[in-house]
Amino acid sequence: MKKEYQMVIVLTAIIGFAGGVLAYTYTSTKKDIERNADEAKKRALAKVVSGSESYEEVKIDDNTTIMLAKAQDGELLGYGVLLSGAGFQGPIKVMVGFNTDCSKVLGIEIIENSETPGLGNRIVEDWFKDQFKGKMPPLNVVKGKNPESDKEIQAITGATISSKSVVNIVNRAQEILKNYTSQGSKSGEVDENILTFSKKIFGNVLVKNKGEFYALTDSLGGVLGYAVISKVLGYEDTLAVLVITDGALSRVLDLKVLKGSEYFTNEKNLSLLCEKIRGKTPPIKLKDVQALTGATITQDAIVSAVNRAFEILKKELN
């Protein structure tokens, strides 16, 4: 029995040591990995949108990012869409460059792939990538013959699936980009809400789109606070709540419901609820701010939206 205890202790120690080594390795290399990924992204954008000196990044989802490529003077030169799709052996991550009206492909770069060496991974070769330049999606793949139109891409011999995967990613990238740019007027309304609301709190303020949130800065770039549009399900529909925080993420400075039908039934109670939330430090509990008699679901949704806004900020800023 004593020997069994010794074995358990030894195995536990080995497992603990191995776990510690893995945790240390992950922690110590995480920043380097993230920095290398960012550099690869910047290099790819510079290749697919010639002349780009800076960019704004908009994260669509975990697999999709739109990058607004700009010249040194801030002029929009085009877009880069970083998108992952399924290949033959695994995911393929592609940076696709588009002109400013989203109609034409400026170029593509393969960021990551695990396709078969000598076959599918030939998608990284210049001759294959160069076929996309100047093309206007949607595109399709032809094999065993030369392309006969501007809508066709010649497949790599023995790697038709990998070739089709890249073409599908390019087509999908344009769909996502067109959807994003077609929301321009709606996005402008939201930006105007943020700018107007932020000026009410900070006075002269600059609003910088950071994808998942907005940084509110002074003219020198100092952070005054943050803005997040948090969406949650209410009683009748989805509520979109604009939440303004201080720069230290210590409290709610203000909030405004941008979308949702049920709250209009009693503006006075809504104002009272918002007043109770202002100045509080999330996570906020519903019992601390109850204000709308007979509208528990609505006020719970608004409180949840505020708490979620802080969760988004903490995740993104970390």
Side-chain angles (χ1 to χ4, degrees):
M1 188 68 77
K2 184 178 180 181
K3 185 175 291 186
E4 291 176 355
Y5 282 134
Q6 290 176 339
M7 290 176 63
V8 170
I9 292 171
V10 170
L11 286 173
T12 302
I14 292 172
I15 292 171
F17 176 76
V21 170
L22 288 173
Y24 172 77
T25 302
Y26 171 77
T27 303
S28 61
T29 59
K30 183 181 178 182
K31 289 185 177 180
D32 289 336
I33 293 172
E34 291 176 348
R35 184 166 54 250
N36 290 338
D38 282 340
E39 288 300 320
K41 186 167 57 178
K42 291 176 185 177
R43 288 195 299 270
L45 180 65
K47 287 184 178 180
V48 299
V49 183
S50 179
S52 60
E53 294 288 338
S54 63
Y55 64 87
E56 290 182 22
E57 190 171 309
V58 180
K59 185 176 181 181
I60 304 300
D61 55 41
D62 290 341
N63 294 317
T64 314
T65 300
I66 293 175
M67 303 174 74
L68 286 68
K70 297 184 176 183
Q72 194 169 17
D73 60 0
E75 179 189 0
L76 180 67
L77 298 175
Y79 299 93
V81 181
L82 185 61
L83 178 64
S84 292
F88 180 67
Q89 295 278 25
I92 300 174
K93 183 180 286 188
V94 185
M95 177 72 79
V96 188
F98 289 95
N99 60 350
T100 53
D101 66 3
C102 316
S103 64
K104 187 182 298 184
V105 177
L106 300 179
I108 72 168
E109 277 297 313
I110 310 298
I111 306 293
E112 296 176 9
N113 84 92
S114 55
E115 301 301 272
T116 307
L119 291 173
N121 76 343
R122 292 183 63 200
I123 56 176
V124 302
E125 294 180 3
D126 289 341
W127 74 268
F128 178 74
K129 295 185 295 183
D130 287 347
Q131 293 185 85
F132 292 86
K133 292 180 180 179
K135 293 288 199 300
M136 302 177 72
L139 308 174
N140 57 75
V141 172
V142 295
K143 60 178 183 177
K145 63 175 184 177
N146 293 325
E148 297 176 353
S149 78
D150 287 341
K151 296 287 186 180
E152 295 179 340
I153 299 294
Q154 186 174 24
I156 297 168
T157 303
T160 304
I161 295 177
S162 299
S163 304
K164 284 184 176 179
S165 296
V166 176
V167 169
N168 289 339
I169 291 171
V170 171
N171 290 339
R172 177 63 180 149
Q174 188 195 44
E175 291 174 6
I176 292 170
L177 182 59
K178 281 189 171 182
N179 182 62
Y180 167 77
T181 55
S182 70
Q183 300 299 315
S185 58
K186 294 181 181 178
S187 297
E189 291 171 9
V190 170
D191 288 344
E192 188 62 33
N193 269 314
I194 294 173
L195 185 58
T196 301
F197 214 46
S198 301
K199 282 184 175 180
K200 187 178 77 172
I201 300 169
F202 299 110
N204 189 21
V205 65
L206 300 176
V207 178
K208 298 182 179 180
N209 190 332
K210 298 293 184 179
E212 291 291 305
F213 66 96
Y214 296 81
L216 312 176
T217 70
D218 58 27
S219 59
L220 298 177
V223 175
L224 301 173
Y226 299 99
V228 178
I229 297 174
S230 180
K231 296 181 179 180
V232 294
L233 183 63
Y235 179 68
E236 293 181 358
D237 64 3
T238 300
L239 294 177
V241 182
L242 170 58
V243 182
I244 307 289
T245 80
D246 63 336
L249 300 185
S250 64
R251 60 195 176 99
V252 179
L253 295 181
D254 214 337
L255 67 153
K256 179 180 181 181
V257 180
L258 300 177
K259 176 189 173 188
S261 58
E262 64 256 37
Y263 77 89
F264 287 111
T265 57
N266 196 324
E267 282 285 348
K268 183 178 179 181
N269 279 344
L270 177 66
S271 297
L272 180 58
L273 174 64
C274 291
E275 182 62 35
K276 288 192 173 186
I277 292 175
R278 292 186 189 100
K280 291 199 178 298
T281 301
I284 300 169
K285 296 180 180 178
L286 179 60
K287 65 180 182 179
D288 297 330
V289 296
Q290 281 187 333
L292 286 74
T293 303
T296 304
I297 296 177
T298 299
Q299 62 185 346
D300 187 33
I302 293 172
V303 170
S304 296
V306 173
N307 290 334
R308 182 175 178 273
F310 273 73
E311 291 172 2
I312 291 171
L313 282 170
K314 288 178 180 178
K315 178 183 176 183
E316 293 297 316
L317 292 172
N318 286 337

